Amino acid sequence: MSGQPWRIKPILPVTKGLGAVAIVVLVFAFGRDDAVQWVLAGAVALGLVGWALRDLVAPVRLAADTEGVTVVEGFARRRWLPWSQIERVRLDRRVRLGLTAELLEVDADDALFLLSMHDLGADPHDVLAELDDLRNQYEKKA
């Protein structure tokens, strides 16, 4: 990936790993003889470990330069999109149950990429401003 990268905060995979360990410890402490609790705890712990593994394999979720952007697609595959294929980049803000969620939305020809503050490791407003600047530089060159 080239250009300006935005990556997850390093504490996220650590927190997910600790959560997986905590679930197993809790089941060991309170439900040793219950097979259902072990199965559920194992499934949740494996999910958290897989999620943390994705954070370690592909920590950079978005990178941009004057030629285009690179986004993570699927588990850890990277996809480069030239600015000409990007229809719009905007901030999606929703309020639900008293909580506000802001997502950076990258709308390409055939795909929609939604990136949260946790994916970017930065405020989506700031990332949007930088992406707008890079896109304006691209359009001036063209």
Side-chain angles (χ1 to χ4, degrees):
M1 290 188 182
S2 62
Q4 168 67 43
W6 288 278
R7 62 180 58 240
I8 61 146
K9 294 178 181 176
I11 193 69
L12 287 177
V14 172
T15 305
K16 293 168 188 172
L18 289 174
V21 170
I23 287 171
V24 172
V25 167
L26 285 171
V27 171
F28 184 76
F30 298 110
R32 287 186 193 178
D33 299 329
D34 190 354
V36 173
Q37 286 185 13
W38 278 108
V39 169
L40 289 175
V44 171
L46 282 174
L48 284 171
V49 167
W51 196 14
L53 184 61
R54 178 181 188 241
D55 292 345
L56 295 173
V57 171
V60 176
R61 298 290 203 260
L62 175 71
D65 58 19
T66 57
E67 300 300 316
V69 298
T70 304
V71 292
V72 171
E73 184 177 58
F75 187 76
R77 185 178 53 229
R78 289 174 175 78
R79 180 174 175 192
W80 182 74
L81 299 164
W83 284 114
S84 60
Q85 285 185 4
I86 297 174
E87 294 173 15
R88 70 179 173 172
V89 179
R90 71 179 191 99
L91 191 67
D92 182 34
R93 184 172 192 261
R94 297 178 189 256
V95 178
R96 185 172 181 186
L97 301 173
L99 299 173
T100 302
E102 292 182 336
L103 298 172
L104 181 72
E105 184 178 295
V106 179
D107 191 0
D109 288 335
D110 62 344
L112 181 66
F113 300 95
L114 299 171
L115 302 159
S116 71
M117 179 177 65
H118 300 295
D119 289 324
L120 300 168
D123 185 0
H125 286 103
D126 299 336
V127 176
L128 179 62
E130 289 189 49
L131 289 176
D132 285 341
D133 289 343
L134 290 169
R135 188 171 196 159
N136 288 336
Q137 291 175 22
Y138 166 77
E139 291 171 353
K140 286 180 184 177
K141 283 193 332 184

